[in-house]
Structure formats: C-alpha cells, structure tokens
Amino acid sequence: MRFLAKDLTTAARDKKDTEIEVSGWVHRIRDMGGITFVVLRDRSGLAQLVFDQKPEDSGGALTLESVICASGCATLNEKAPGGAELRVKSFKTLSKAAPDLPYQVNADILKMGLETILDNRLLSLRNPKVQAIFKVQATIAAAFAEALRKQDFTEIKSSKLVGSGTEGGTELFTVEYFDRKVCLAQSPQFYKEVMVASGLERVFEIAPVYRAEKHDTPRHLNEYVSLDVEMGFIESEKDLIELEKNVLAHIFEEVAQKNPGELEMWNARVPDSGAVANAPTVPYDESLRIANGEAAKTRGAGASSRIFDMNPEAERLICEWAKREHGIDLVFVNEFPRRYRPFYTYPLDKGEEGTAVSTMSFDCLFRGLEITSGGRRHHDYNAFVETLPRFGIKSEEMPGYCALLKYGCPPHGGFAIGLERLTEKILGLSSVKEASLFPRDRKRVEP
Ligand code: AMO
C-alpha cells in the first residue's frame, strides 16, 4: 500500500515491522560512503529514505528527479525531516531522469533569478516552494467561490472571444475568427452585467482575461486570472466594498487554515481576518493628499515632486499609512475621477451644472499594490447614451450594452480581483509572474 511522505511518522508508530511503500521523485541524494540518504518528494512533501548500499537500478546509479517506488520499514528518527525515515529493502525505478538536469530543482529558489525560474518552468514547478505558491492560489480561488456561493451568487463561464473590448481599445489582442478578426476578452465585464440583468442578480466568474499591454513590469501579465463579481440591487460602490471585505476575510481565513506550511515556507502571514473590517475607505482626492503627506515625510517637507495620480508610489504610501493608522495594509480608495474609469461606470454627481466629475468606483490596495477595481455601473439607458460621447463613443458602437440597458436592468455593480496579484501579495513574491503557472509576457508564450 502506498504511503505519502507526510504519513511516514504515523507509519513508523503504527506499522513498525510492516513493510510499506512510498513513491515519488528523487529530490536529493547524499552518499555517505556506507549508506546513502535519498530525499523523496511526493505531493505531500519530503521523506528521507535510507539505503544500505548505493542505490542502483539496471541503468546504473540513481539520478535526481527519477521517479521511484521504494519499500521498507518506517522508523522514527528525530534527525530526519518530519521525524521519521524509511529503511529501504527494495526499490524500482518507474521513470529514469536523464543526468543532464538543466535546472537544479532542489535549490533555494530565492537564489535563482526570476528569468531562470521561468525559462526552466517545467522543472522549476517541481520545487516545493514554487508549488506552495499554487497550493495557496488554489485555496484563494476556492475560498473566493465559497464566500460568494454562501451569499447566493451563481458561478458563470463566459466566452473569451469577443467582438469588442470593455476596458479600453488599445489593450486588445486580435485573433483570426474564420473570415474576420475578433478579440480576446479583457474582462467578462459585459457578460457579467448581462447575467445580472438576466435575473440571476448575483454572479461570479473565475477565468483568464487578456491584456495586450506592452510594458513589462512586475505587476503586469498579458494573460491573468480574473476573480469577477457582479451584483444587482446595490446603492453604491460601498455595498461592493463591504462584499469584498467579506470575501477577502474568508480568503485570508482559509489560507491561514489550509496552508500553514506554505505560508511558513515563504515566511508569510495573512492579515487577521477580523482586521479586514478595519480597512479604511478613502475618497480618491483624500488618498492623494495622504500619499503626498507620506511622501513629504520621507523626502522632507520641502520636497518638490508631487504625486498627481494613483501611481505605484502612491499605492505603496497609502498602504503604509493604513497599516500605521488602521493596523492593516489594506485600503479601499473610492470616488475616482471619471477620466480614470471606463464608460460603464456610474457617475457620482458632485460637479457644477450637474456634470459628474467623480464616480461610484473603487480600487482595493493591498500591501502596496492595486488588487481590485470595481464600481457601480450605469443601468439607465438614457443616462448611458448621454454619457457615451464624453468617452468618444457613439451609441451605435455599443449595440450590446444599449440592448442590455434598454430592456430592464437593475442598479448593479461589481469588481474584479487579479488572482496572481493577490497571491503575490499574500506570499510576498517579487513579481506577479511568479504567481502565474505559465506566465504570458511580451516574450513568453512557451511553455
Ligand atoms: P481592471 O482592468 O482594473 O478592472 O482589472 C481588475 C484587476 O485585475 C488585475 N489586473 C492585472 N493583473 C495582472 N496583469 C495585468 N495586466 C492586470 N490588469 C489588471 C488587478 C486589477 O485590480 N472590468 C473591471 C473590473 C470591474 O469593474 O468589475 C476590470 O477589469 O488586480
């Protein structure tokens, strides 16, 4: 019967003299002359195997990354990882790895450059610390869905082939679609609104989205997983902020509970789920004042360079302020000026002559990085058609949106969290690319 590495200690206690079997990858080999220690890796972790002789198969010496199956008796040993080891009686090689490994799987990945890690993706994904990222990511996605299902949200899967974009025309990938060109979806924005209007009222989607952004930065991917939410019958973005706090608190709670080992590997801590409720909501203008105040403190009061928009420096400074003043580096910035938000965003009338200058929108910043954008949307057909020219759009160019709003659509809104960005910030990674299994950037489309 196959035992997992993590169960070796139990086996050593319960099955002392019975032979058991473990299988996995050869992670490390230490030849001590008389005996050889082999560290075996399986989905549960690492286990120490002790061979009385040099482990050899019909093809010669055992090689790193070969897949083997070993049987023997488990015994307690304080010095072994996990407190037990397998004294091997026999083993067989199930798949022999070639000896010319181009990447050292068992190395400390903090000592490897990101490019090397990504260039050797097939092998770097075998590193336990790299795998930890994706175990945590799986928990995040599951907890996101669970928190929403509990509140009567229905999961949807919308098409990623679309006729036009929703988040701005310059960031679209086009693809051949029979005799015409279509685009890869930048967001399920339109479809999630359609499903609210269809009567489902509350929907969410977990799916990849595509952004043809040319810049290569630690915060941008050209394909990322969007955790999307849309909800009917809301009053303002504040309802959405409450919902997101609830979702994030559940995610943090689940990660703390399901991934203590993974968090430890990365020396990471999730915020206390109870503290999420204390995350402040700061209007956009006020947040820039805070950011400038924080910048002046570090640069000196007379510093001349001002922060004029929510750039990465402002995001970092506001989170530092929130950590100090509210005990959590999580902030919601709302009421963004209209020029920064897409055409579908609901106005917040504050300006003279009834012209909206700001919107019922928000971003969520976590540990110095924007992880979420959202807001209330237009639901009134006439107001929507009136606003389009301000974005240089003709209503004829938006037949879908016009039809959606023309035939009965409740007040609604939603948000989207970037899965890789949230993973990156939970674990303290150096780049969003580290949190993507097979990152797509300007030069990377393989593997
Ligand atoms: P937005 O375009 O701001 O909003 O994206 C939402 C969130 O997605 C993440 N994100 C990215 N992650 C990695 N690489 C990128 N290139 C990238 N671009 C964005 C960020 C960001 O906060 N339709 C709206 C959401 C809504 O209003 O419901 C939208 O997509 O974490």
Side-chain angles (χ1 to χ4, degrees), residues 110-128:
L110 292 184
K111 295 197 179 124
M112 303 244 176
L114 181 61
E115 291 300 304
T116 309
I117 293 172
L118 298 181
D119 286 347
N120 293 281
R121 201 52 167 158
L122 265 52
L123 289 172
S124 69
L125 282 170
R126 298 181 178 205
N127 181 283

Side-chain angles (χ1 to χ4, degrees), residues 167 186-187 189 192 211 213 219-222 224 228-230 344 370-375 377 414-418 421 432:
E167 308 301 312
Q186 294 166 302
S187 150
Q189 185 62 40
K192 60 181 186 166
R211 303 279 170 110
E213 283 156 316
R219 53 165 64 205
H220 290 98
L221 288 161
N222 294 115
Y224 69 91
D228 266 276
V229 180
E230 199 73 16
Y344 50 73
E370 175 206 316
I371 56 159
T372 310
S373 271
R377 333 292 188 186
F415 57 85
I417 307 173
R421 285 195 187 181
V432 75

